[in-house]
Amino acid sequence: MRALPLISHRSPDDVLAWRPNGPVSVGLYLSQVRSLADRLPDSRWIVNLCEDRYHFAVLLGACALSGRVSLQPSSQSAQTLQQLEAAYPGSVAVTDDPGVSSASRMIPLPVLDALPVHTDANMPLIPEDRMVAILFTSGSTGSPQPHAKTWGKLVANGQAEAMALGLIGQSRVLVGTVPVQHSYGFESTFLLALQGGCSFWSGKPFYPQDLADALSRVPAPRLVVTTPFHLASVMASELPMPPVDRWLSATAPLSAELAAKVEAASGAPVHEIYGSTESSQLATRRTCDGPAWTLMPGVRLEQEGDITCAIGGHVEGRVPLSDLIEVLPDARFVLHGRHADMVNLAGKRTSLAYLNHQLCAIEGVRDGAFYLPRDDAEDRVGRLVAFAVAPGLDRQTLLAALRHRIDPIFMPRPLMLVEALPRNSTGKLTRQALEQLLEARAPAREADAG
């Protein structure tokens, strides 16, 4: 069995990460990985809760080197950690946040700068079939599900993204607004640095001012790894940003209108990544160039009826995809919405993604989402509910604007005005979060119905 390097095509003096106190070289990173590997608890399962992207990187490297597995939950709630402890007996959670507490076994990450220096200059090699991480789905349509990742596929993953984005030989500093535990943040900040020749900022800016501050602390050229939610926030803030070389978006559909605004304001192209935790990333596109996606090197699609599967390249096995896909020539395809998003009312079909786009395209709407309550979801029929964040608009004005955009059969009953939508750290709206929001607004539902 082959063994592959922890970091590809890099010298010890190259910069891998940028921290508040300055750059971190590949050599220092490898030294800290080796030292931490010697000090990890005697458990195969390590729950990697480190919020700092560099801390996460050192811990995952130590796990990979020592044969342990990094568990990367989509949530750090006490309930999630208790479920992990039950599913992975003997697991130990490692955190860099001293304020975090739960019922799970938890230890603090050692102070990395205090670890002994390793003088071994050789690049660590890891068997390609070694399972090094288990990622979990976000739970946007149900309970989070685990998906194991082997080292060989992760190496191919990072290299495929670098080739797809044209980054080979063109180092970028990656500034991510998404958590590194999430598959998108994991692939497009961590793997792209280790296997694609980039470096990354250790923090996780969330608000527009945070992003501006982070960009000011790293050198150009800069690539921002973000989401449609964060891009919309940046545009709404009108804050001046340090120059950005490229924007990368994922986790939700990005409208061509928003992408065009970002490009016009920043002078930098906006690209998207398509994929899932189950399949890993699969394709890229520049949003303003049209709806077609281009598959990453080695990946191919196979179809049987309405079901499309991803296979080949860095994909672990043969993975059914959740979307309705139209395959085009030259390794391209077009998305037509998620299977779970399809709604059938009185014989008419549409998707929640389309309805969300129409709602959010109304002038004055900052955020919005349609929702099909669980009682109606099984047969995809019933009364739609919609939530809108639209300061300055009343319900009747918003409904009137919406009637010009969608078929009357899909008008929401009720439409609720809210101060904010309960998006998670990647900008997603989980079904559970929308259910809770609907329940919380139950006393006002009759007044909102119309």
Side-chain angles (χ1 to χ4, degrees):
M1 182 58 63
R2 288 194 310 160
L4 300 174
L6 180 61
I7 304 178
S8 298
H9 313 300
R10 304 292 289 273
S11 78
D13 295 328
D14 287 343
V15 174
L16 178 67
W18 299 86
R19 302 178 68 188
N21 60 351
V24 179
S25 68
V26 168
L28 178 57
Y29 170 74
L30 296 178
S31 172
Q32 293 179 342
V33 163
R34 287 189 168 98
S35 289
L36 184 60
D38 295 337
R39 287 160 178 78
L40 288 177
D42 187 19
S43 171
R44 187 186 184 199
W45 313 111
I46 302 296
V47 186
N48 193 336
L49 301 182
C50 293
E51 293 280 352
D52 181 288
R53 215 171 297 268
Y54 181 70
H55 291 167
F56 172 93
V58 175
L59 181 54
L60 188 134
C63 287
L65 188 61
S66 62
R68 294 169 173 84
V69 179
S70 172
L71 304 180
Q72 297 165 206
S74 57
S75 166
Q76 296 193 13
S77 68
Q79 180 184 26
T80 297
L81 299 182
Q82 289 166 3
Q83 291 171 344
L84 281 178
E85 190 174 9
Y88 302 91
S91 61
V92 178
V94 179
T95 179
D96 56 0
D97 183 354
V100 172
S101 63
S102 75
S104 301
R105 297 170 61 194
M106 186 175 295
I107 62 173
L109 182 75
V111 177
L112 298 181
D113 293 337
L115 294 175
V117 176
H118 266 256
T119 57
D120 186 350
N122 295 317
M123 178 63 66
L125 299 176
I126 300 166
E128 63 178 354
D129 64 345
R130 176 176 289 176
M131 180 172 59
V132 300
I134 296 179
L135 279 63
F136 294 80
T137 59
S138 64
S140 56
T141 58
S143 300
Q145 298 298 312
H147 293 276
K149 307 293 180 179
T150 59
W151 183 244
K153 295 295 187 182
L154 291 180
V155 169
N157 187 328
Q159 293 176 353
E161 182 176 8
M163 286 187 280
L165 294 175
L167 296 180
I168 300 298
Q170 299 183 25
S171 178
R172 297 286 189 277
V173 181
L174 310 171
V175 179
T177 66
V178 290
V180 69
Q181 283 83 4
H182 183 269
S183 58
Y184 169 45
F186 180 64
E187 293 165 339
S188 295
T189 60
F190 174 70
L191 292 182
L192 193 54
L194 262 65
Q195 305 300 328
C198 297
S199 58
F200 61 87
W201 170 245
S202 63
K204 187 185 69 176
F206 185 83
Y207 296 106
Q209 186 61 61
D210 299 335
L211 178 59
D213 293 343
L215 291 170
S216 70
R217 304 188 72 167
V218 298
R222 309 173 181 96
L223 190 160
V224 178
V225 180
T226 189
T227 71
F229 172 73
H230 289 97
L231 285 173
S233 296
V234 168
M235 289 296 97
S237 74
E238 299 183 345
L239 282 173
M241 291 279 164
V244 171
D245 183 69
R246 186 181 301 191
W247 304 86
L248 192 63
S249 177
T251 74
L254 175 65
S255 70
E257 293 85 354
L258 177 56
K261 287 181 181 178
V262 174
E263 291 198 359
S266 67
V270 179
H271 290 253
E272 288 182 88
I273 292 284
Y274 170 75
S276 67
T277 306
E278 299 91 326
S279 65
S280 299
Q281 53 192 351
L282 300 175
T284 62
R285 70 175 180 182
R286 182 178 177 183
T287 315
C288 291
D289 286 345
W293 297 82
T294 300
L295 290 168
M296 290 185 176
V299 177
R300 64 184 189 275
L301 301 179
E302 295 181 350
Q303 290 187 306
E304 185 174 343
D306 285 342
I307 303 301
T308 304
C309 293
I311 191 171
H314 57 272
V315 179
E316 299 270 6
R318 188 172 187 270
V319 181
L321 303 178
S322 300
D323 295 284
L324 291 167
I325 291 176
E326 176 188 352
V327 175
L328 304 175
D330 303 322
R332 297 178 305 128
F333 63 90
V334 174
L335 298 175
H336 292 291
R338 295 174 64 87
H339 289 286
D341 277 354
M342 300 309 295
V343 179
N344 186 342
L345 298 183
K348 295 185 177 182
R349 286 166 56 87
T350 190
S351 71
L352 295 177
Y354 172 80
L355 296 174
N356 292 345
H357 172 76
Q358 296 301 323
L359 175 59
C360 292
I362 295 172
E363 186 71 26
V365 175
R366 295 184 180 177
D367 199 5
F370 275 74
Y371 170 67
L372 189 62
R374 188 174 296 277
D375 290 345
D376 301 319
E378 183 174 348
D379 297 321
R380 316 308 299 165
V381 296
R383 298 183 106 192
L384 286 163
V385 176
F387 306 97
V389 180
L393 294 181
D394 58 43
R395 284 187 62 258
Q396 295 308 316
T397 301
L398 192 51
L399 286 168
L402 195 57
R403 286 191 186 97
H404 287 288
R405 292 178 165 271
I406 66 175
D407 191 293
I409 196 69
F410 300 118
M411 287 296 291
R413 296 175 175 82
L415 169 65
M416 302 187 213
L417 296 176
V418 295
E419 292 185 0
L421 292 181
R423 295 186 179 275
N424 63 18
S425 57
T426 62
K428 286 189 175 184
L429 286 168
T430 67
R431 181 168 188 86
Q432 181 182 20
L434 288 175
E435 286 176 350
Q436 292 172 349
L437 181 60
L438 185 62
E439 291 172 2
R441 288 297 303 269
R445 288 176 65 181
E446 289 301 319
D448 290 337

